[in-house]
Amino acid sequence: MSTPSSSTDVTAGQEGTWQPRLALLVAATFFMEFLDGTVLTTAIPSIASDFNVAAADVNITMTAYLVTVAMGIPLSSWLAERMGARTVFCAAIAVFTVASLLCALSQDLTMLTLSRVAQGAGGAMMVPVGTLVVLRGTPKSELLRATAYLVWPGLLAPVLAPMVGGALTTFLSWHWIFLINLPLGIAAFIAALRLVPGTKPQGKRKLDWFGLLLTTLGVGALVVGLETLGGHAPGLLAAVVVAAGVLSLGGAVWWMRRTRVPLFNLGVFRTRTFRATSTGGFIYRLTISSVPFLLPLMFQDGFGWDPLKAGVMVAAVFIGNIGIKPATTPIIRRFGFKPVLVFASLASAATFALCAFLTPQTPEPIIFALLLFSGAFRSIGFSAYASVQYADIIPDELPSANAISATLVQLAAGAGIAVGALFLRLFDTAPVFGADQIAAYKGAFIAMGVLMLVSAADSLALHRDAGAEVSAGSARR
């Protein structure tokens, strides 16, 4: 189907003009999607009480949402090609908003879970298609500014989710976690109709059904397996599910290298700056994603703090993210991608190592300052990776690069929690760092710091001028 166009077709790629309002709109929809992935955590006891079920059973609503988002992303690039990015993006907002209403109206766990699946389907389209809309209309000289808008939801949502969910549940009810999406979704839908450029469907490329089946099954199995590994009783089954996911994705890669019309153009991995996303960038996101999981646990389980105090302290990471954000683009333009990526990885590794030596006796201002710096380094690294991955991608490869990147981000977030939990269990079983309440956390933070060094090593292998067209583009103008 064709959508009327009121502006230059965005498929021209990298030849449009920078539209900050459009980027802000897309970022806002991302924030809704990312926030809803974890915001239910603090509301689980309340939901369990209302539905008269065990609290552990409510976890299925979170898993169902995350799995649906992850499995829906691979289909998004094809849908955007066939139906137009504007049509798919607006439809995704509508689905997400209606599904949020259904979540709030749910009378039992089954209805809530099914509504979360529908919500995840909308979220799966919003993330990659929204990014595609922004990137296709942004000149490379302005790519840093565009990604600076798109990065903040992924940085802030995991930190804000416990506080937002806790406040709404405490002062109103858990239903408001979903009801708050209604005015936001309606406003986003109206804004999308006004701001998103009209696009024409790009040809009639057939859908690679077998590649889609292998990819979605692989991604779904990995998310479920990683969620289980990060839980309290992982068992052998979780490892088997993860292995099945890896094998399925391996089969998808094998198939797409041989079929004439693959689901994704895997040639994007020949571009070194994009390949950094699946190597050092994946490890960076994985280790960073473990922090919002490890810190609250350590403060409550190891330090004996109450949830409110732990949440307020972790908010220092959020403040660091926001505080450094105006400076991330100038820093990258001044020093270039390679030095910034190496610095962000090494600095983050250092903060992990320092977190390992925190104790209940450590002055709270020092803990706050450490987490503040950790949040700042986190923001710099995320912004750099989000920009450099598209620096050398040609317009025709952008849909595949975008969908692959969005999938890897989802997997890295799940893997971060799973790996953090595994390290906790490992050092709890083998008390290398002692036998007190914080010994396992010390080992987990040190292990995460060592893992972060792998990301630094990968960044060191980049060319000195990697992504220079993006990092220096505006400076030359």
Side-chain angles (χ1 to χ4, degrees):
M1 59 182 288
S2 176
T3 305
S5 177
S6 59
S7 60
T8 304
D9 190 344
V10 293
T11 56
Q14 308 297 349
E15 298 297 334
T17 57
W18 163 235
Q19 300 182 60
R21 289 190 300 169
L22 176 59
L24 188 60
L25 165 65
V26 173
T29 61
F30 289 4
F31 186 76
M32 288 195 301
E33 189 273 319
F34 290 143
L35 189 69
D36 274 49
T38 53
V39 73
L40 275 188
T41 303
T42 52
I44 284 177
S46 180
I47 295 173
S49 176
D50 282 2
F51 291 163
N52 196 27
V53 298
D57 294 342
V58 182
N59 283 330
I60 191 174
T61 62
M62 295 180 60
T63 302
Y65 177 85
L66 294 172
V67 170
T68 306
V69 170
M71 294 180 70
I73 288 173
L75 182 62
S76 64
S77 62
W78 182 83
L79 281 176
E81 283 184 36
R82 291 299 297 265
M83 301 176 66
R86 181 176 188 258
T87 299
V88 175
F89 184 61
C90 290
I93 296 174
V95 170
F96 186 88
T97 305
V98 173
S100 295
L101 176 61
L102 294 176
C103 288
L105 296 176
S106 296
Q107 299 299 308
D108 55 42
L109 187 60
T110 300
M111 182 178 177
L112 179 59
T113 303
L114 293 175
S115 300
R116 288 283 280 173
V117 169
Q119 196 184 34
M125 298 299 113
M126 285 198 303
V127 174
V129 176
T131 303
L132 191 62
V133 167
V134 173
L135 295 179
R136 275 182 163 171
T138 302
K140 285 194 174 182
S141 60
E142 300 291 350
L143 190 58
L144 270 175
R145 293 177 64 190
T147 52
Y149 279 74
L150 300 178
V151 163
W152 68 263
L155 289 169
L156 304 188
V159 180
L160 287 181
M163 291 186 287
V164 172
L168 290 174
T169 303
T170 300
F171 298 109
L172 296 171
S173 73
W174 64 265
H175 305 82
W176 284 92
I177 290 175
F178 302 109
L179 290 174
I180 198 173
N181 286 333
L182 301 187
L184 297 176
I186 293 171
F189 183 82
I190 294 172
L193 292 176
R194 293 172 57 87
L195 296 176
V196 178
T199 60
K200 297 179 180 179
Q202 297 301 295
K204 296 184 178 180
R205 180 170 67 95
K206 292 182 178 180
L207 179 61
D208 176 13
W209 286 103
F210 190 58
L212 177 65
L213 176 65
L214 289 174
T215 302
T216 52
L217 286 179
V219 170
L222 273 180
V223 173
V224 171
L226 291 170
E227 282 281 304
T228 308
L229 283 174
H232 297 293
L236 179 62
L237 180 60
V240 172
V241 173
V242 169
V246 172
L247 289 174
S248 183
L249 288 179
V253 171
W254 177 85
W255 169 259
M256 282 186 271
R257 287 185 180 278
R258 285 158 178 76
T259 188
R260 293 181 60 185
V261 187
L263 179 66
F264 297 135
N265 177 7
L266 298 181
V268 295
F269 286 107
R270 289 194 293 268
T271 303
R272 179 64 180 92
T273 46
F274 179 80
R275 196 164 67 247
T277 304
S278 59
T279 51
F282 184 85
I283 295 173
Y284 185 87
R285 290 186 174 97
L286 183 155
T287 51
I288 288 297
S289 296
S290 70
V291 174
F293 167 74
L294 290 173
L295 281 175
L297 280 181
M298 183 176 73
F299 291 150
Q300 294 176 68
D301 183 44
F303 289 16
W305 293 359
D306 60 66
L308 179 60
K309 184 176 180 179
V312 170
M313 187 60 75
V314 174
V317 178
F318 157 75
I319 296 172
N321 287 335
I322 290 295
I324 197 65
K325 180 55 64 183
T328 54
T329 297
I331 287 172
I332 294 171
R333 285 178 177 157
R334 171 66 178 84
F335 297 101
F337 282 111
K338 179 178 178 177
V340 169
L341 288 171
V342 173
F343 167 77
S345 297
L346 292 177
S348 295
T351 61
F352 289 165
L354 292 173
C355 283
F357 293 97
L358 295 177
T359 69
Q361 290 73 43
T362 305
E364 291 176 12
I366 292 180
I367 298 177
F368 191 89
L370 174 60
L371 300 189
L372 191 76
F373 280 107
S374 178
F377 301 144
R378 183 175 183 252
S379 184
I380 292 171
F382 262 79
S383 298
Y385 272 117
S387 301
V388 76
Q389 65 183 347
Y390 299 117
D392 302 314
I393 293 293
I394 61 175
D396 287 345
E397 293 179 342
L398 191 55
S400 292
N402 181 52
I404 291 171
S405 172
T407 303
L408 289 174
V409 168
Q410 290 288 331
L411 292 178
I417 296 174
V419 173
L422 285 174
F423 278 136
L424 279 181
R425 279 191 285 271
L426 174 64
F427 289 107
D428 188 47
T429 304
V432 178
F433 296 96
D436 57 28
Q437 286 291 97
I438 61 172
Y441 295 98
K442 180 179 294 187
F445 275 113
I446 289 177
M448 283 298 179
V450 172
L451 197 57
M452 182 63 84
L453 294 179
V454 178
S455 176
D458 182 76
S459 297
L460 281 170
L462 285 171
H463 190 274
R464 177 64 180 83
D465 297 323
E469 184 178 358
V470 170
S471 62
S474 293
R476 289 194 301 263
R477 286 173 32 167

